[in-house]
Amino acid sequence: MAMPRYAIAYQTILTKEILRFSRIWIQTLIPPAITTALYFLIFGQLIGGRIGQMDGLDYNQFIVPGLILMSVITNSYSNVVSSFFSCKYQRHIEELLISPVPNWVILAGYVSGGVVRGVMVGIIVTLVAKFFADFTIHSYLLTVTVFVLTSILFALCGFINAVYAKTFDDISIIPTFILTPLTYLGGIFYSIKLLPDFWQQLSLFNPVLYMINAFRYGVLGISDIDIATALTIIISFIVALVIFSLYLLDRGIGIKQ
Amino acid sequence: MSALSIKNLHKSYSNGFTALKGIDLEVEEGDFFALLGPNGAGKSTAIGIIASLINKSDGTVSVFGHDLDSDPEAVKSYIGLVPQEFNFNQYEPVEEILVNQAGYQGVPRREAFRRAEIYLKKTGLWDKRRVNARMLSGGMKRRMMIARALVHHPKLLILDEPTAGVDIENRHSMWDFLREINDNGTTIILTTHYLEEAESLCRKIAIINQGEIIENTTMSGLLNRLHCEVFLFDLKEPVSEVPNLGDYAVKLIDECTIEVEVSREQGINPLFTTLSNRGLEVVSMRNKQNRLEQLFVELIQQSGEA
């Protein structure tokens, strides 16, 4: 049976996106593996031995979920923001705008591209983590669910950043000044139980905290946060960002005169 | 049937500049239509609106009976666009650019590769199919954009200065290719600064200036309005002074070339008789200025004065 027109358009955008980051695999797939290996070597092996246990686990094991998810967040975001912005910058976004492709298909195609890269990097980083730390997955279903939902959420953030970006500086400001601090302060390297009350409460406003804890529960079976609350927050963010992204596309903000 | 129908199309930009002041335009199916105008006249804005790249401020656009506002996807599926600026991924191979464009239009991948081969061969780019687009010359990039615009078999092809920067030999082969496409039933709208191109290819013409259509007629009807034409004659034997050709105004350009102004009432046949009677043997003759160019300049000046 012939594929519906929208499915062909979606497949085309996704294939284009996968080919794009695969062509430059040395820039896109290898650096997260090296960075993660360094984190494990320095924080896990060298410093982690002196820290001892955290939430009843070796520090080496404790940081595994956070480091995997950090790579997923960074790569899902950067894939979409760089690809869609360069699409605007080189004006080949016009190829899509003049075609009978609905906005939701454009959004789905780019977000899926970000998710595929996030998943590929996540798998690579998990393999690296396996080399440094001994762990077994507590809940595959929850692990995969949080993994994919987080990837979708940050791919959407990257898309919105790209829509508003006018220069290459604009696509690095958000990751540098917002995304990285939120990720590092989201409990990758520590349990928020270690923080004074005020900072614990403040941390609860960081959405990344919920993702990392939900993922940590999936991988290791421990969390500082209620899992149902975490999933509700992640899904709510996704719904809100999808609606906002479609609004931007419908209005042609940042892409049409 | 009307391939394109534009009614009362307005476009004002956020900076207050009004690019289109309520234009009306009809292009019939099968036409080869020239949309001409000076820089900044509103041609590219009009094309941008038709192709969904620019949001209009007011008015209606319909393509083959489908309204742009209520049925944009049908409108988009009918249109192939070759824009003025390069708008493809410079880092993608040529063939991939065509296959992707076909995919956006809903053409299955295997069929997209087949069509890419056809159009890359027709535009002489098949040997370059695996080359990154940035490695192509300017003329090749233009031809690639034409091939890309055709992969989904559009019924309306819009060409915004498609031969800018293309050498003469390739330009003529592109003209032949465009005529073939038009002969096969594709309606073509062409904007160009090469007026001989418009004269050679197009049967109908609209001229736009300062956001308004100032002329909309057939090419032959427009050219018939020329009151006089200026011809250059190359003579076999040199002449030392301006020859007397009766009522014809004559200038001596050099000893073997004369310039003669011929009005519509005078006609050109009596001129040859006069030249012959004066013993002047003509080797060749040509228009001093392209006929359409002459009219175009006059119309733009009149519109500016008005």
Side-chain angles (χ1 to χ4, degrees), chain A residues 3-171:
Chain A
M3 279 173 87
R5 203 178 66 195
Y6 293 166
I8 294 170
Y10 170 77
Q11 183 196 44
T12 304
I13 299 171
L14 180 58
T15 307
K16 182 177 78 105
E17 284 301 288
I18 294 171
L19 285 173
R20 190 193 71 82
F21 73 73
S22 302
R23 274 195 203 106
I24 47 170
W25 60 276
I26 291 181
Q27 294 170 46
T28 52
L29 301 178
I30 299 302
I34 294 171
T35 311
T36 311
L38 289 171
Y39 274 122
F40 276 112
L41 192 66
I42 296 165
F43 290 100
Q45 307 286 85
L46 302 179
I47 300 173
R50 291 173 182 245
I51 293 172
Q53 291 212 320
M54 193 163 294
D55 280 352
L57 294 165
D58 284 347
Y59 190 64
N60 230 0
Q61 293 171 311
F62 181 83
I63 61 173
V64 166
L67 288 178
I68 295 172
L69 209 62
M70 184 171 74
S71 303
V72 172
I73 288 171
T74 311
N75 282 278
S76 301
Y77 188 96
S78 62
N79 193 72
V80 181
V81 76
S82 59
S83 176
F84 197 74
F85 178 70
S86 101
C87 196
K88 276 174 47 174
Y89 189 77
Q90 291 190 60
R91 299 183 61 168
H92 54 94
I93 182 72
E94 293 178 3
E95 292 176 340
L96 278 166
L97 296 178
I98 63 167
S99 302
V101 186
N103 290 333
W104 63 266
V105 173
I106 296 175
L107 184 65
Y110 274 93
V111 168
S112 301
V115 171
V116 171
R117 177 164 155 194
V119 168
M120 285 180 73
V121 166
I123 291 168
I124 291 168
V125 170
T126 305
L127 294 174
V128 171
K130 269 284 186 193
F131 185 76
F132 287 96
D134 186 27
F135 61 94
T136 50
I137 305 291
H138 174 72
S139 163
Y140 279 98
L141 179 65
L142 184 64
T143 301
V144 172
T145 304
V146 178
F147 192 94
V148 173
L149 288 178
T150 305
S151 189
I152 291 171
L153 197 157
F154 281 94
L156 285 163
C157 292
F159 186 85
I160 293 166
N161 187 171
V163 166
Y164 279 109
K166 290 191 169 70
T167 65
F168 280 99
D169 285 343
D170 296 338
I171 63 169

Side-chain angles (χ1 to χ4, degrees), chain B residues 2-290:
Chain B
S2 184
L4 173 69
S5 174
I6 292 177
K7 289 190 171 58
N8 195 30
L9 189 64
H10 283 264
K11 175 63 187 177
S12 298
Y13 288 98
S14 53
N15 62 5
F17 175 68
T18 302
L20 297 175
K21 300 169 184 167
I23 64 168
D24 296 309
L25 198 63
E26 292 286 332
V27 178
E28 289 302 311
E29 185 172 5
D31 271 354
F32 206 136
F33 194 97
L35 181 61
L36 306 182
N39 289 333
K43 306 182 295 291
S44 294
T45 299
I47 287 172
I49 291 170
I50 299 163
S52 304
L53 295 175
I54 297 174
N55 291 328
K56 62 186 166 63
S57 304
D58 198 7
T60 60
V61 174
S62 70
V63 175
F64 289 100
H66 296 270
D67 183 70
L68 184 62
D69 293 325
S70 59
D71 198 0
E73 286 180 25
V75 169
K76 289 176 183 184
S77 66
Y78 283 122
I79 296 176
L81 174 69
V82 180
Q84 205 177 108
E85 309 281 341
F86 298 137
N87 70 340
F88 48 82
N89 188 342
Q90 305 268 346
Y91 297 94
E92 272 178 359
V94 169
E95 186 180 38
E96 212 170 295
I97 289 172
L98 267 68
V99 169
N100 285 342
Q101 184 64 62
Y104 301 150
Q105 292 279 353
V107 178
R109 204 159 178 80
R110 184 175 294 184
E111 173 64 11
F113 273 104
R114 194 186 70 80
R115 292 190 193 180
E117 181 178 345
I118 291 170
Y119 290 109
L120 287 175
K121 281 180 176 169
K122 277 185 184 285
T123 48
L125 292 170
W126 181 241
D127 293 343
K128 304 281 182 188
R129 66 189 179 281
R130 308 235 189 277
V131 172
N132 273 1
R134 71 196 159 100
M135 305 303 288
L136 300 180
S137 69
M140 287 176 178
K141 286 176 181 169
R142 295 250 167 239
R143 281 186 277 150
M144 190 203 69
M145 292 206 297
I146 293 178
R148 183 186 60 174
L150 292 167
V151 284
H152 62 290
H153 296 164
K155 287 177 78 177
L156 173 62
L157 181 63
I158 302 174
L159 305 155
D160 195 357
E161 301 194 26
T163 55
V166 177
D167 62 48
I168 289 177
E169 191 187 344
N170 276 313
R171 198 183 307 166
H172 282 269
S173 71
M174 277 167 73
W175 290 4
D176 292 339
F177 181 47
L178 293 175
R179 279 193 197 99
E180 183 191 326
I181 294 166
N182 181 244
D183 289 343
N184 290 334
T186 306
T187 308
I188 299 181
I189 298 175
L190 170 77
T191 82
T192 179
H193 284 295
Y194 301 116
L195 297 187
E196 77 277 14
E197 182 168 277
E199 187 180 340
S200 165
L201 291 171
C202 301
R203 292 184 290 274
K204 291 193 181 158
I205 180 169
I207 296 176
I208 185 168
N209 191 33
Q210 296 174 353
E212 293 174 304
I213 300 281
I214 57 170
E215 192 57 70
N216 188 358
T217 182
T218 60
M219 186 65 76
S220 54
L222 184 67
L223 293 174
N224 276 339
R225 282 199 228 157
L226 270 178
H227 297 301
C228 69
E229 287 184 72
V230 180
F231 294 96
L232 295 172
F233 291 89
D234 295 316
L235 305 175
K236 191 173 182 184
E237 302 293 336
V239 290
S240 54
E241 56 184 34
V242 181
N244 179 3
L245 297 179
D247 292 339
Y248 293 102
V250 188
K251 277 186 201 166
L252 190 62
I253 303 299
D254 60 47
E255 59 182 10
C256 283
T257 314
I258 55 170
E259 178 185 304
V260 186
E261 198 175 304
V262 183
S263 70
R264 178 168 289 279
E265 295 74 35
Q266 287 173 311
I268 200 160
N269 279 340
L271 174 62
F272 279 107
T273 310
T274 311
L275 285 165
S276 184
N277 290 342
R278 299 286 184 277
L280 298 167
E281 196 174 339
V282 174
V283 177
S284 65
M285 67 172 279
R286 61 192 181 276
N287 276 87
K288 186 184 180 189
Q289 193 180 17
N290 174 274

